Amino acid sequence: MGYTISQKIIKEHLVSGTMEPGSEIGLHIDRTLTQDATGTMAYLELEAMGIDRVKTELSVAYIDHNTLQSGFMNADDHRFIGTVAKKRGVYFSRPGNGICHQVNLERFGVPGKTLIGSDSHTPTGGGIGMLAMGAGGLDVAVAMGGGEYYINMPKMLKVNLTGELQPWVTAKDVILEVLRILSVKGGVGYIVEYGGPGVSTLTVPERATITNMGAELGATTSIFPSDKTTKEFLKAQGREDDWKELVADEDAVYDKTIEIDLSTLEPLAAKPHMPDRVEKVTEIGRIKVDQCCIGSCTNSSLADMMKVAAILKGRKVAPGVDLTISPGSKQVLSMLAENGALTDIIDAGARILESACGPCIGMGQSPKSKGISLRTFNRNFEGRSGTADGQIYLVSPEVAAVSAITGYLTDPRTFGKAPKAKMPKHFHINDNMIEAPASPEDAKDVEIYYGPNIKPFPDSNVMTETIDAKAILKVGDNITTDHIMPAGSAILPYRSNIPKLSEFCFRQCDPNFSENCKKEGKGFIIGGSNYGQGSSREHAALVPLYLGIKAVIAKSFARIHAANLVNAGIIPLTFQNPDDYDKIDQGDELVLNDVISSIKDGETIVLTNKTKGEEYTLSFKFSERQREILLAGGLLDYTREKNK
Ligand code: MIC
Ligand code: SF4
């Protein structure tokens, strides 16, 4: 039996476990990336583990999220990351150099390597044939220290692509179609591999758009083969030597296959407030738009921007519409400037933003009240834009640009000839905003800058045999980490200040959550299915830890968040009978008995509901390592203990 692309990479990097779907495997990690909103914490954790120098073949720290410096906090964190990177052996991509995933694709992506990043869209690297996964900051810190990264061996899902995209239909529509078919939880437990004759019709940046937004499927990662197209892209980036061929064996076995004929796709959009609420643009109809935002790690490549520029050339953004453009990297921006396309964009009346995440994470550009905003991004969770009642639609750059001109959501096929963007033979290469780390000798003299915004970690959870606490919050299905720990320009500057951050926890679901926790001192959270989907932010576990949350009891969990809970020492438990979820009300008094002994060697635990006089069986499937982490009070304590 042959291997799939990812099975080949896993086999080469397997340190522990067997490649049996569902069982825990430990992988050697070649490379890591961090971004600033999760990076400050990750490097503090690296320090707390006593790691002086990273052991990976390459680690890069990017500044791309918290680039709005209103107050000292973000600037302090940038300086901390810059200095800690220099000292500890990490490359530093300065603010303005671009979004981590775009820059990684251009300058660092290598087929066949393993990459973990403290950002859920790290699978963008799958577009160039990397096994690239999002992880919590602590897991990334462990990998930087040379430790393995643990996942449950995923099942394999193949998306077989045939045909060719029609004019005005794009890679964004491909991933929106996959989301329509599979939903935001359809990828849980799988790696999504793209194959079939349609693959060769897609460029590397197009493939990266697809693997990027595969994060929204809940998949462990997504990956494309590394072929001639990959080689040409790397050559144009001056990195031909980094290429190697990587394809699935003819007789590779997939657990599931879905077929997509690219030629049948039409322009699509994800309606508010979930990336899988996908409909054809023509079905949604001609709605008036207030804002169009083009950029983000999903759609900010040179080709995306060139097509947008061609659409805007000689035209004018409609009155009442704000059009923002954030090129994904300095390379993209400088090439747009060089070839004149930037002038076409500016002339049409677009607002040019920095090469950074920007509006995607609510760092400015929030739409007006109830404003309709078409965005080329990957997430449209309620409130994420910074406007609680903002109505965000996820679309391709082509749909966004055409609609910005007409003022209405528009099927671009009614707009005339579709623009084409040719891959350049040579990209403009200038890495002067990437700082190399100091040599091990010089590192001794580098002083790390710790700004006043950096506050100590929350105390670890001391596991007790009995946990007696209230159901302090009950939430529904598909709760995102944006619900748990919102982002946005007012909150993100406190990513290294857990006590301050705790004031905002679950604000959208229950404005009294934080206060209630502080009053009670402890609690359980009750969740529905796919609890914790979305971002990799470990703050969605660290803040609940700080607020005294002992366990989260849900119908099911998203992969990265479940790992982050264990890493923080909070027990993720699932209902054996999902109907029991309905029997618990917020405020019920709950008790877990025999906690330590169950975690040691059990698979179930009984939850007593004192208020209702009922008992429910909860299940868990922890590996030996996870049991030890929970009993140690979290991954930090566990690692410190092991390194002693
Ligand atoms: C996101 O898109 O939600 C983020 C912001 O990039 C997060 C990371 C974070 O919260 O810092 C992610 O996707 O992991
Ligand atoms: Fe940045 Fe948005 Fe991409 Fe997250 S999804 S890395 S916030 S651009």
Side-chain angles (χ1 to χ4, degrees):
M1 192 180 85
Y3 290 103
T4 70
I5 309 166
S6 33
Q7 283 170 344
K8 286 184 184 183
I9 306 179
I10 290 173
K11 196 164 151 267
E12 242 179 60
H13 291 82
L14 194 68
V15 180
S16 62
T18 53
M19 289 168 61
E20 192 61 41
S23 71
E24 193 179 69
I25 53 171
L27 292 176
H28 173 75
I29 297 301
D30 301 319
R31 297 173 169 216
T32 65
L33 70 80
T34 56
Q35 42 92 335
D36 48 337
T38 52
T40 310
M41 203 45 95
Y43 294 107
L44 288 169
E45 288 160 344
L46 186 82
E47 301 241 292
M49 284 186 258
I51 294 158
D52 292 340
R53 197 81 188 166
V54 299
K55 298 195 176 69
T56 39
E57 106 189 354
L58 180 82
S59 288
V60 187
Y62 294 88
I63 307 292
D64 54 1
H65 281 64
N66 292 351
T67 54
L68 207 66
Q69 291 159 231
S70 49
F72 63 94
M73 293 84 82
N74 290 344
D76 272 3
D77 285 355
H78 298 173
R79 186 54 56 87
F80 165 69
I81 294 174
T83 50
V84 79
K86 201 173 188 84
K87 195 173 180 78
R88 307 280 173 226
V90 175
Y91 282 78
F92 179 58
S93 173
R94 286 163 53 174
N97 194 45
I99 306 174
C100 55
H101 309 304
Q102 177 66 24
V103 177
N104 179 64
L105 196 72
E106 294 167 354
R107 307 304 306 136
F108 299 114
V110 176
K113 298 273 182 192
T114 50
L115 166 76
I116 65 167
S118 60
D119 192 280
S120 64
H121 290 103
T122 305
T124 315
I128 205 164
M130 291 188 106
L131 189 77
M133 294 163 285
L138 246 173
D139 281 324
V140 176
V142 168
M144 285 194 276
E148 297 97 82
Y149 177 53
Y150 294 90
I151 54 169
N152 288 336
M153 179 65 201
K155 291 188 279 186
M156 299 290 139
L157 191 156
K158 180 173 181 183
V159 180
N160 194 46
L161 301 175
T162 53
E164 198 167 341
L165 291 170
Q166 296 298 298
W168 294 110
V169 186
T170 69
K172 180 60 148 265
D173 303 305
V174 178
I175 186 61
L176 286 173
E177 173 68 1
V178 179
L179 272 154
R180 191 188 65 76
I181 298 170
L182 290 175
S183 89
V184 290
K185 44 188 181 198
V188 175
Y190 286 97
I191 290 182
V192 182
E193 285 201 11
Y194 290 82
V199 165
S200 63
T201 68
L202 299 169
T203 64
V204 168
E206 285 176 320
R207 297 174 185 184
T209 292
I210 295 170
T211 57
N212 169 286
M213 210 171 160
E216 275 50 70
L217 298 165
T220 304
T221 188
S222 304
I223 193 165
F224 270 84
S226 169
D227 56 10
K228 242 176 54 211
T229 308
T230 322
K231 189 178 185 177
E232 272 155 32
F233 177 82
L234 281 166
K235 191 171 170 201
Q237 289 287 354
R239 304 198 289 118
E240 196 181 354
D241 289 350
D242 284 343
W243 183 75
K244 79 165 192 191
E245 187 176 44
L246 197 61
V247 291
D249 289 332
E250 292 267 326
D251 55 346
V253 178
Y254 291 88
D255 299 279
K256 198 168 166 177
T257 301
I258 59 175
E259 300 283 341
I260 295 185
D261 178 353
L262 297 171
S263 60
T264 61
L265 295 182
E266 293 185 32
L268 300 171
K271 300 197 305 177
H273 300 285
M274 262 314 139
D276 61 359
R277 295 199 63 220
V278 175
E279 279 182 29
K280 290 179 183 161
V281 167
T282 47
E283 278 167 8
I284 299 170
R286 200 169 171 269
I287 47 173
K288 172 105 191 66
V289 302
D290 301 293
Q291 186 188 52
C292 296
C293 299
I294 300 178
S296 95
C297 56
T298 321
N299 277 118
S300 61
S301 67
L302 179 68
D304 282 334
M305 296 295 159
M306 289 304 294
K307 286 189 275 180
V308 167
I311 293 167
L312 296 177
K313 190 179 168 96
R315 299 195 169 94
K316 184 174 158 236
V317 174
V321 180
D322 247 350
L323 170 65
T324 73
I325 309 270
S326 349
S329 66
K330 172 177 175 252
Q331 181 181 78
V332 173
L333 182 55
S334 66
M335 288 181 79
L336 292 175
E338 213 168 46
N339 66 24
L342 188 60
T343 311
D344 298 332
I345 297 175
I346 297 170
D347 272 355
R351 299 171 63 181
I352 311 297
L353 306 180
E354 199 174 2
S355 294
C357 301
C360 177
I361 194 56
M363 263 292 154
Q365 267 59 46
S366 302
K368 77 175 192 25
S369 299
K370 299 200 176 70
I372 296 202
S373 180
L374 308 186
R375 299 179 161 209
T376 66
F377 308 166
N378 46 39
R379 291 188 172 142
N380 56 349
F381 303 146
E382 198 168 2
R384 180 174 160 106
S385 67
T387 300
D389 54 8
Q391 305 292 309
I392 314 300
Y393 291 72
L394 304 174
V395 297
S396 69
E398 283 85 331
V399 169
V402 168
S403 304
I405 292 165
T406 61
Y408 292 86
L409 175 66
T410 304
D411 180 346
R413 291 172 301 177
T414 59
F415 200 71
K417 203 162 171 295
K420 280 217 166 72
K422 270 203 22 222
M423 260 302 142
K425 282 253 162 318
H426 303 285
F427 285 94
H428 179 103
I429 296 160
N430 178 353
D431 291 330
N432 66 358
M433 285 179 86
I434 299 171
E435 291 177 5
S439 67
E441 300 77 59
D442 294 346
K444 291 183 204 80
D445 302 326
V446 177
E447 229 178 275
I448 300 176
Y449 174 82
Y450 298 92
N453 192 39
I454 295 180
K455 295 283 181 286
F457 296 113
D459 290 334
S460 313
N461 215 349
V462 179
M463 207 52 82
T464 49
E465 195 62 350
T466 303
I467 306 175
D468 195 330
K470 273 189 187 153
I472 207 144
L473 180 74
K474 184 176 178 186
V475 287
D477 290 345
N478 290 326
I479 284 297
T480 72
T481 51
D482 280 79
H483 288 105
I484 306 170
M485 202 49 257
S489 60
I491 307 176
L492 278 168
Y494 299 109
R495 281 292 182 89
S496 49
N497 182 344
I498 299 289
K500 178 73 186 169
L501 215 51
S502 73
E503 294 168 20
F504 306 97
C505 192
F506 275 115
R507 191 172 63 167
Q508 214 180 309
C509 303
D510 178 356
N512 300 321
F513 176 75
S514 176
E515 226 171 88
N516 289 346
C517 288
K518 284 172 187 164
K519 215 162 55 207
E520 291 289 331
K522 57 185 177 177
F524 292 109
I525 292 172
I526 310 297
S529 62
N530 202 20
Y531 179 88
Q533 68 155 325
S535 103
S536 67
R537 61 190 73 147
E538 62 186 339
H539 304 77
L542 292 176
V543 171
L545 168 70
Y546 173 80
L547 290 172
I549 299 303
K550 304 292 174 199
V552 180
I553 304 162
K555 288 186 191 168
S556 68
F557 289 89
R559 176 186 75 90
I560 306 176
H561 187 60
N564 284 343
L565 286 173
V566 171
N567 289 352
I570 298 177
I571 325 170
L573 298 164
T574 48
F575 291 102
Q576 196 165 61
N577 175 3
D579 294 342
D580 288 342
Y581 165 88
D582 298 314
K583 299 180 185 155
I584 303 178
D585 289 310
Q586 186 163 317
D588 282 1
E589 294 279 355
L590 309 175
V591 188
L592 281 178
N593 283 316
D594 307 323
V595 178
I596 295 178
S597 38
S598 304
I599 290 180
K600 262 193 190 136
D601 47 24
E603 287 193 341
T604 58
I605 189 164
V606 174
L607 178 74
T608 307
N609 187 337
K610 287 200 288 188
T611 310
K612 303 273 162 61
E614 293 172 341
E615 287 190 342
Y616 324 110
T617 306
L618 308 176
S619 0
F620 51 87
K621 212 179 144 223
F622 299 132
S623 66
E624 213 35 58
R625 189 188 62 92
Q626 288 176 315
R627 292 177 199 271
E628 286 174 26
I629 292 175
L630 282 169
L631 294 172
L635 182 58
L636 203 55
D637 297 81
Y638 167 84
T639 312
R640 270 204 214 110
E641 201 54 40
K642 266 186 72 175
N643 288 351
K644 254 186 202 163

